RNA sequence: GGGGAAGUGUCGGAACUGGCAGACGAGCAUGACUUAGGAUCAUGUGCCGAAAGGCGUGGGGGUUCAAAUCCCCCCUUCCCCA
């Protein structure tokens, strides 16, 4: 008897061999079509859990499949290595972010290697190394030169106790995570990327195969609305402006305006508030600054606000309209002012009800007789109470009023976006320093390219408050102006880590390039990414920023494609005990123990088997043994050998049954080819679970054949070779071992993917289903070549069916070729 | 509140373009072998029924010769957005 299947042994052996031979080393090869398969690189959190495997194992299987199909496959791996947790570790445990990160990478790389993937480790990329962030900084300079980077004011979360800026995730229900103080807002000068310049193009996903869901989310993120900007007359002592401009998509409702709402941050609030309202308004504004945007916009919460004691005039009807301040209006959207039309907007309706403001119907619902509305009517209707526009359908009213406003110079058609420019400044240490210098004479001066990288100082001092050490690092901050040479100060903000991940996929093409971020030639060979896979949580931010980045680079002439990722696929989430895995819940499953016990091959296969990849599923210990058993069966099937030498057409007696050898061989060959077809098709479509089911069925069939000893050794060999080749992407170690044991030469992973012959895969016999009035009554095995007339005949002659036809008249016969006959009787 | 996805045995799931519901696996049950193992093999396993047969894909209605699949209404869960 041969040895037992010992995954630990063979996985160690082959991983070592593959590494020694550089089996998965990738070079550009113009003789082969290229395939760039990319899995989102992990953040250096410290441990690889089963969720990471769920992202990486199936994508590796697909990449291996493409490789066997003859593609030159690039399937790289690296680490997203900048970010806040490293800094928190520095503060709480006194370990430097660099060391913390590198230790985590060591551990994660070891775990990643146990997957047995085809990663070419010589192309590994870490975003936190100077060789990498030098180019992140270089891109910043290019964006600055192109006018896509600029400085502007933006609010940050500010903890008054720690005297520091907090990231959104450090603010827990309005309070500082560290000290518990109430978090306020504070305006800071910060750096932005002008992503809004590409708003329209980013809404389009031309020529790329992405899930509809993600495309919709990105379009909503851009949030384009087409409407009209309307001017309301302002006459206020001490205020220079003579108007307040409001953006609306519903100019047809302008006669229904009964109040005006300013965002609490709006500069006019302070100027317009009357003395008797000042205290109340100031308190309200202060309170609203402690709320997050999500809270402010929640429809659950009651809308509240304060009248500021000032008015504007609605030019269309000359009415005086009171101005309120309310936090359901955001400064960043539109003009930061909303015209309150309670009759035709739900939020305005709720607001008006609460403060007893008039609700005037100007778009009549069908059949409206002047009664009061129970709720806001937001649908189109007929215009009323709108002066000269009365009687118009409101859709036409939108155009008519817009025309009228433009004619009078009281407004103009406009487009606004929900999308705001990308704020990339972070008041943090552990990120790529923004390469800018502030000179007292020259102003803002970019660091010259040849001075890059601007290195993060190693001897940083981490304060318990979380304040950035860069601000107090004299050697870092103090420099000279590259233009005029006088003493100057460096920018101390670092870049958002999404900046690092916006171009890492370019770096993999030529990670060793040291005179440019990438080698243009090699990028032209590999990019764009053919298949990008990762979690749907990156549907907007990362994927959106990366697309912006590529479009900006394209316009600079640095790349020659429009979209970075040709096909996108989002895998689902692995849950444990019906909950998402998380450190705080303490339900994180680490693959290591399963790998050492059952083998990486089994873990890979099990993750793919539980559910369709896009769906995700529950990690359940008991299920994985099914995969282990299957691998054991494969092992016993193959490693046990097969010796039958059968020639010619003979009948073999086994268990008293006669087996027609020729037929058995034909059937085996048919199933072999059908399995190739099924597995290939499933892999193309990333349907790993059904692929495995097909392979299991094939295995079970082979076990029966072996027991019966019903085929010749040559037929058997073809079937076994095929099984191993089809199994190679999923269980690379097991397949390699058995490939060697069956006398083939190393390596199975350099073999071609098997091809099926349609002729051999064709069924000889089919099961014809016979229905009477749509109910299943009989199944008859018939030759696949049967004609319609023969099938009808066979159906009518079936003994079981005849009983149901007794005394009935057949009025119709439906025939579905190769499937069924339905007899319709009365 | 808006948008999206989903709901199928005890469990994970399968079912091409409307055509045999429950593939494959887990679990469970019975048996075999035994160098006792979380091993391997065999058989069974949607529900009701002794059987014939009937019922059955969240609930209700519809279209169709035929619906898990298409349409309408409702319920539930999850995700995203506001």
């Amino acid at each position: 008897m041969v040895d037992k299947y010992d995954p630990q042994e063979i996985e160690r052996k082959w991983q070592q061999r593959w590494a020694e031979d550089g089996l998965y080393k990738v070079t550009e090869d113009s003789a082969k079509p290229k395939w760039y398969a990319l899995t989102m690189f992990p953040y250096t959190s410290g441990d690889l859990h089963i969720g990471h495997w769920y992202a990486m194992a199936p994508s590796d299987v697909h990449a291996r499949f493409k490789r066997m199909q003859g593609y030159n496959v690039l399937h790289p791996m690296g680490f997203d290595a900048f970010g806040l947790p490293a800094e928190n570790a520095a503060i709480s445990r006194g370990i430097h972010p660099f060391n913390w990160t590198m230790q985590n990478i060591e551990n994660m790389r070891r775990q990643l290697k146990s997957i047995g993937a085809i990663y070419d480790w010589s192309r590994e990329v870490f975003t936190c190394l100077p060789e990498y962030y030098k180019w992140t900084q270089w891109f910043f300079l290019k964006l600055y030169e192109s006018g896509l980077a600029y400085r502007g004011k933006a609010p940050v979360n500010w903890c008054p106790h720690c005297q520091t800026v907090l990231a959104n995730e450090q603010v827990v229900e309005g309070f500082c995570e560290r000290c518990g103080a109430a978090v306020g807002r504070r305006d800071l000068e910060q750096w932005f990327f002008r992503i809004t310049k590409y708003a329209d193009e980013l809404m389009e996903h031309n020529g790329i195969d992405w899930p509809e869901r993600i495309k919709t989310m990105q379009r909503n993120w851009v949030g384009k609305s087409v409407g009209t900007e309307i001017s309301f007359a302002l006459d206020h002592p001490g205020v220079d402006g003579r108007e307040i401009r409001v953006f609306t998509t519903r100019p047809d409702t302008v006669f229904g305006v009964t109040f005006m709402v300013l965002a609490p941050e709006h500069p006019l609030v302070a100027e317009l508030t009357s003395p008797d309202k000042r205290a109340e308004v100031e308190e309200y504004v202060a309170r609203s600054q402690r709320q997050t945007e999500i809270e402010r916009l929640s429809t659950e919460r009651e809308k509240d606000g304060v009248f500021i004691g000032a008015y504007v005039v609605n030019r269309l009807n000359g009415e005086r309209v009171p101005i309120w301040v309310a936090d359901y209006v955001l400064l960043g959207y539109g003009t930061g002012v909303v015209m309150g039309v309670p009759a035709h907007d739900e939020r305005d309706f709720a607001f008006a009800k609460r403060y007893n403001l008039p609700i005037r119907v100007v778009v009549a619902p069908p059949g409206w007789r002047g009664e009061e509305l129970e709720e806001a009517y937001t649908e189109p209707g007929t215009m009323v109470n709108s002066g000269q526009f009365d009687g118009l359908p409101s859709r036409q009213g939108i155009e008519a009023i817009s025309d009228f406003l433009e004619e009078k110079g009281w407004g103009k058609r406009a487009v606004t976006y929900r999308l705001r420019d990308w704020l990339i400044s972070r008041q943090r240490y552990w990120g790529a320093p923004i390469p800018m210098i502030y000179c007292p004479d020259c102003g803002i001066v970019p660091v010259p390219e040849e001075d890059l990288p601007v290195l993060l100082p190693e001897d940083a001092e981490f304060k318990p408050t979380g304040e950035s050490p860069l601000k107090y690092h004299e050697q870092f901050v103090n420099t000279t102006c590259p233009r005029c040479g006088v003493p100057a100060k460096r920018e101390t903000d670092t870049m958002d880590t999404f900046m690092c991940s916006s171009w890492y996929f370019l770096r993999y093409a030529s990670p060793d390039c040291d005179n440019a971020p990438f080698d243009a030639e090699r990028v032209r060979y590999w990019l764009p990414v053919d298949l990008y896979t990762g979690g749907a949580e990156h549907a907007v931010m990362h994927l959106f920023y990366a697309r912006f980045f590529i479009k900006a680079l394209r316009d600079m002439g640095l790349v020659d494609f429009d979209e970075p990722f040709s096909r996108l696929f989002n895998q689902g989430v692995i849950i444990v005990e019906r909950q998402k895995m998380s450190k705080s819940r303490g339900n994180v499953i680490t693959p290591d123990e399963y790998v050492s016990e059952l083998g990486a091959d089994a873990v890979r296969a099990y993750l793919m088997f539980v559910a369709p990849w896009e769906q995700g599923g529950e990690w359940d210990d008991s299920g994985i043994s099914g995969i282990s058993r299957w691998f054991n069966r494969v092992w016993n099937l193959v490693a046990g050998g097969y010796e039958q030498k059968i020639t010619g057409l003979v009948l073999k007696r086994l268990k008293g049954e006669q087996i027609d050898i020729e037929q058995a061989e034909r059937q085996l060959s048919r199933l072999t080819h059908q399995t190739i077809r099924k597995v290939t098709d499933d892999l193309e479509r990333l349907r790993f679970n059904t692929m495995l089911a097909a392979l299991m069925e094939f295995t079970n069939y082979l076990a029966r054949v072996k027991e019966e000893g019903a085929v010749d050794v040559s037929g058997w060999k073809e079937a076994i070779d095929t099984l191993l080749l089809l199994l190679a992407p999923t269980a690379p170690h097991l397949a390699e071992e058995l490939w060697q044991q069956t006398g083939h030469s190393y390596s199975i992973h350099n073999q071609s993917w098997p091809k099926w012959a349609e002729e051999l895969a064709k069924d000889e016999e089919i099961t014809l289903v016979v229905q009477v009035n749509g109910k299943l009554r009989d199944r008859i095995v018939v030759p696949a070549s049967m004609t319609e007339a023969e099938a009808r005949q066979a159906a009518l002659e079936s003994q079981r069916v005849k009983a149901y036809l007794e005394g009935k008249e057949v009025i119709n016969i439906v025939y579905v070729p190769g499937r069924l006959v339905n007899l319709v009787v009365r």
Side-chain angles (χ1 to χ4, degrees):
Chain A
M1 191 58 197
V2 286
D3 292 342
K4 279 181 67 174
Y5 168 48
D6 180 357
Q8 270 165 284
E9 169 69 23
I10 64 171
E11 288 179 7
R12 196 179 51 234
K13 176 171 102 187
W14 289 112
Q15 281 180 16
Q16 202 180 334
R17 175 87 190 266
W18 296 334
E20 278 166 14
D21 297 350
L23 187 69
Y24 302 127
K25 195 137 175 50
V26 188
T27 50
E28 292 67 40
D29 177 357
S30 57
K32 287 183 184 172
K34 68 93 183 180
W35 184 264
Y36 188 175
L38 185 63
T39 299
M40 291 177 188
F41 65 170
Y43 172 67
T44 50
S45 56
D47 265 306
L48 217 57
H49 55 70
I50 211 75
H52 288 106
W53 272 63
Y54 195 59
M56 290 162 186
S59 52
D60 180 60
V61 172
H62 189 262
R64 284 175 171 277
F65 161 65
K66 283 288 167 191
R67 198 169 174 278
M68 288 177 80
Q69 276 192 325
Y71 289 89
N72 189 27
V73 174
L74 175 61
H75 186 41
M77 188 43 69
F79 296 92
D80 187 14
F82 272 137
L84 195 53
E87 225 161 318
N88 287 338
I91 293 159
S92 62
R93 290 190 262 152
I95 176 170
H96 192 279
F98 180 81
N99 295 329
W100 182 84
T101 303
M102 294 316 272
Q103 277 171 25
N104 287 347
I105 288 178
E106 279 302 314
N107 186 48
M108 291 173 79
R109 196 205 277 120
R110 175 188 61 75
Q111 291 178 303
L112 276 165
K113 285 191 173 172
S114 74
I115 295 179
I118 57 171
Y119 305 135
D120 175 354
W121 289 102
S122 70
R123 290 178 183 255
E124 193 180 27
V125 156
F126 306 165
T127 59
C128 68
L129 296 183
E131 301 91 84
Y132 186 90
Y133 71 69
K134 173 183 179 178
W135 301 112
T136 307
Q137 293 172 339
W138 186 86
F139 282 121
F140 180 95
L141 295 179
K142 291 291 153 195
L143 289 164
Y144 181 73
E145 281 168 28
S146 312
L148 289 170
Y150 68 95
R151 219 162 134 74
K153 268 200 186 245
V156 291
N157 302 308
W158 178 259
C159 173
H161 178 260
C162 300
Q163 288 286 301
T164 190
V165 176
L166 300 178
N168 285 335
E169 58 267 32
Q170 294 176 306
V171 183
V172 183
E173 286 162 18
F175 297 96
C176 173
E177 176 190 58
R178 273 185 233 280
C179 70
V183 174
R185 278 164 187 274
R186 171 176 275 215
D187 275 337
L188 284 187
E189 282 280 319
Q190 307 192 64
W191 286 97
F192 290 86
F193 286 157
R194 214 179 292 279
I195 194 169
T196 49
K197 185 183 167 192
Y198 290 92
D200 284 306
E201 194 182 350
L202 287 166
M203 283 179 66
E204 304 293 326
H205 299 83
N206 293 327
I208 54 176
D209 178 13
W210 280 33
E212 215 42 60
R213 217 177 38 146
I214 305 294
K215 293 194 279 186
T216 306
M217 281 163 72
Q218 293 205 340
R219 276 195 297 270
N220 292 342
W221 184 256
V222 175
K224 182 178 185 169
S225 25
V226 177
T228 305
E229 215 174 83
I230 303 176
S231 163
F232 285 74
L234 184 68
D235 185 12
H236 196 87
V239 175
D240 294 340
R242 313 302 292 178
E243 60 170 7
I244 290 183
R245 296 185 82 88
V246 175
F247 176 83
T248 178
T249 56
R250 292 294 304 276
D252 54 321
T253 63
V254 67
F255 284 86
V257 174
T258 56
F259 58 98
M260 190 65 64
V261 189
L262 294 177
E265 302 84 354
H266 200 288
L268 281 175
V269 172
E271 295 186 50
L272 295 178
T273 302
S274 64
D276 59 315
K277 297 282 179 188
R278 189 157 303 273
E280 202 187 342
V281 168
E282 275 171 5
E283 200 224 305
Y284 181 82
V285 170
R287 185 150 42 92
S288 74
Q289 286 188 340
R290 290 196 294 271
Q291 313 263 335
T292 66
E293 234 170 73
I294 307 263
E295 285 165 350
R296 283 173 55 173
L297 294 170
S298 165
T299 48
E300 309 298 311
R301 210 171 119 250
E302 251 201 271
K303 308 279 165 297
D304 63 357
V306 178
F307 174 48
I308 68 169
Y311 296 86
V312 286
V313 172
N314 185 347
R315 299 185 202 265
L316 282 104
N317 55 12
E319 273 177 26
R320 239 158 67 102
V321 179
I323 305 176
W324 288 61
V325 57
D327 61 12
Y328 73 89
V329 177
L330 300 176
L331 186 62
Y333 182 73
T335 56
V337 193
V338 161
M339 59 183 212
V341 186
H344 306 294
D345 180 276
E346 280 161 37
R347 286 184 300 184
D348 296 347
F349 188 88
F351 194 82
K353 277 281 180 199
R354 177 162 176 169
Y355 294 107
N356 267 322
L357 296 161
I359 297 172
R360 185 196 305 139
V361 176
V362 291
V363 174
W368 183 69
R369 302 215 189 288
E371 68 274 14
E372 266 184 41
L373 295 180
E374 296 290 315
E375 55 181 4
Y377 178 73
T378 57
E379 301 296 308
T382 306
M383 297 186 59
V384 294
N385 296 324
S386 298
Q388 68 208 80
F389 301 98
D390 280 359
L392 269 184
S394 62
R395 278 183 213 280
Q396 286 175 35
I398 291 176
E399 299 310 321
I401 289 188
S402 297
D403 287 342
F404 182 73
L405 289 167
E406 286 184 341
E407 223 168 88
K408 291 273 185 185
W410 294 345
K412 62 176 199 310
R413 286 181 170 80
V415 175
T416 64
Y417 297 91
R418 204 193 72 104
L419 181 69
R420 282 169 257 174
D421 278 337
W422 178 11
L423 196 172
I424 58 131
S425 291
R426 295 292 179 272
Q427 293 70 39
R428 296 286 150 205
Y429 169 81
W430 195 232
I434 294 175
M436 285 289 169
I437 291 170
Y438 301 100
C439 169
D441 298 334
C442 314
I444 299 172
V445 182
V447 172
E449 270 184 42
E450 58 273 20
D451 292 350
L452 295 181
V454 175
L455 286 171
L456 278 174
E458 282 169 35
D459 55 344
E461 193 194 325
F462 295 92
K463 309 203 172 188
T465 56
E467 209 174 353
S468 171
L470 292 179
K471 274 170 79 176
Y472 299 97
H473 196 286
E474 300 283 328
Q475 281 149 291
F476 179 83
V477 175
N478 294 315
T479 182
T480 51
C481 173
R483 219 166 267 170
C484 69
V486 307
K489 304 259 184 219
R490 276 191 199 284
E491 168 67 67
T492 56
D493 284 354
T494 52
M495 284 184 248
D496 180 3
T497 56
F498 278 122
M499 174 77 183
C500 309
S501 56
S502 287
W503 72 279
Y504 78 109
F505 45 90
L506 300 173
R507 188 69 186 167
Y508 284 132
S510 51
D512 47 357
C513 184
D514 59 5
N515 59 355
F518 54 81
D519 178 301
E521 200 56 42
R522 294 167 81 190
V523 160
R524 199 166 311 136
Y525 177 80
W526 287 114
L527 273 283
V529 172
D530 293 281
L531 176 60
Y532 193 34
T533 62
E537 67 273 20
H538 294 295
V540 187
M541 310 252 259
H542 162 57
L543 289 168
F544 200 75
Y545 294 143
R547 291 180 63 219
F548 155 70
F549 211 81
I550 289 302
K551 288 173 193 306
L553 261 49
R554 176 203 59 199
D555 291 347
M556 296 174 201
L558 293 171
V559 298
D560 60 1
F561 49 93
D562 297 315
E563 292 282 351
F565 315 120
S566 301
R567 183 179 175 196
L568 177 72
F569 188 93
N570 295 115
Q571 81 270 357
V573 179
I574 285 287
I575 55 171
V576 176
E577 282 148 3
R578 305 177 56 81
Q579 289 184 311
K580 219 168 163 171
M581 256 186 289
S582 75
K583 273 189 182 160
S584 56
R585 283 201 192 89
N587 64 349
V588 174
I589 305 275
T590 313
D592 295 29
E593 55 179 299
Y594 295 97
V595 172
S596 59
E597 204 174 323
L598 302 166
D601 284 342
V603 178
R604 288 165 67 101
Y606 177 59
L607 285 170
M608 291 187 285
F609 187 62
V610 277
W613 198 26
E614 69 266 34
Q615 190 184 306
E618 174 116 12
W619 175 265
D620 169 18
D621 279 43
S622 64
I624 195 170
S625 59
I627 297 290
S628 271
R629 284 177 206 165
W630 172 44
F631 284 169
N632 267 306
R633 288 206 304 276
V634 171
W635 180 272
N636 295 332
L637 194 67
V638 180
Y642 185 87
E643 300 298 332
Q644 300 299 326
K645 287 280 179 205
I646 302 165
T647 46
L649 174 61
V650 290
L651 294 178
K652 189 175 170 82
R653 272 179 190 281
L654 191 101
K655 292 183 189 166
E657 277 177 68
Q658 293 188 327
I659 297 164
D660 180 331
I661 299 300
E662 202 171 82
Q663 200 183 318
E665 297 242 334
R666 264 208 316 279
Q667 202 174 328
L668 178 60
S669 146
R670 179 161 55 247
L671 210 75
T672 303
H673 285 258
Q674 284 178 347
T675 305
I676 300 172
R677 183 171 62 188
K678 171 75 176 156
V679 169
T680 307
D681 189 49
D682 279 347
L683 278 173
E684 292 288 4
R685 295 163 45 195
L686 307 169
R687 302 288 303 260
F688 301 107
N689 57 330
T690 49
M691 166 195 79
L692 290 171
L695 285 174
M696 287 175 182
E697 274 184 273
F698 190 45
T699 308
N700 295 344
Y701 182 78
L702 286 169
R704 247 189 340 270
V705 169
K706 184 171 185 175
E707 185 160 337
E708 289 169 349
V711 300
D712 189 83
V713 69
S714 63
W716 175 260
K717 267 184 72 79
E718 190 206 356
I720 291 296
D721 288 353
T722 303
L723 175 66
L724 294 180
L725 290 165
L726 297 179
L727 199 58
T730 303
H733 313 87
L734 173 63
E736 185 80 287
E737 175 68 22
L738 290 174
W739 189 249
Q740 187 193 47
Q741 286 197 21
T742 48
H744 293 90
S745 58
Y746 175 83
S747 157
I748 192 171
H749 302 299
N750 286 335
Q751 304 302 310
S752 300
W753 189 250
K755 292 191 169 60
W756 73 92
E758 209 53 67
E759 193 52 38
L760 295 174
K762 211 187 269 172
D763 277 312
E764 275 175 29
E765 286 178 331
I766 53 157
T767 303
L768 188 71
V769 169
V770 185
Q771 298 180 333
V772 178
N773 285 347
K775 285 201 197 297
L776 176 79
R777 293 306 179 195
D778 200 6
R779 295 172 227 248
I780 40 186
V781 178
V782 301
S785 57
M786 181 173 257
T787 64
E788 174 166 358
E790 287 165 342
R792 285 165 173 253
Q793 190 64 28
L796 289 166
E797 278 168 6
S798 153
Q799 284 307 315
R800 305 194 51 187
V801 165
K802 274 185 178 164
Y804 291 93
L805 301 181
E806 203 82 12
K808 302 274 173 66
E809 182 197 350
V810 177
I811 53 171
N812 192 13
I813 299 180
V814 180
Y815 172 67
V816 182
R819 289 190 184 276
L820 62 72
V821 175
N822 186 13
L823 306 172
V824 187
V825 303
R826 194 163 48 196

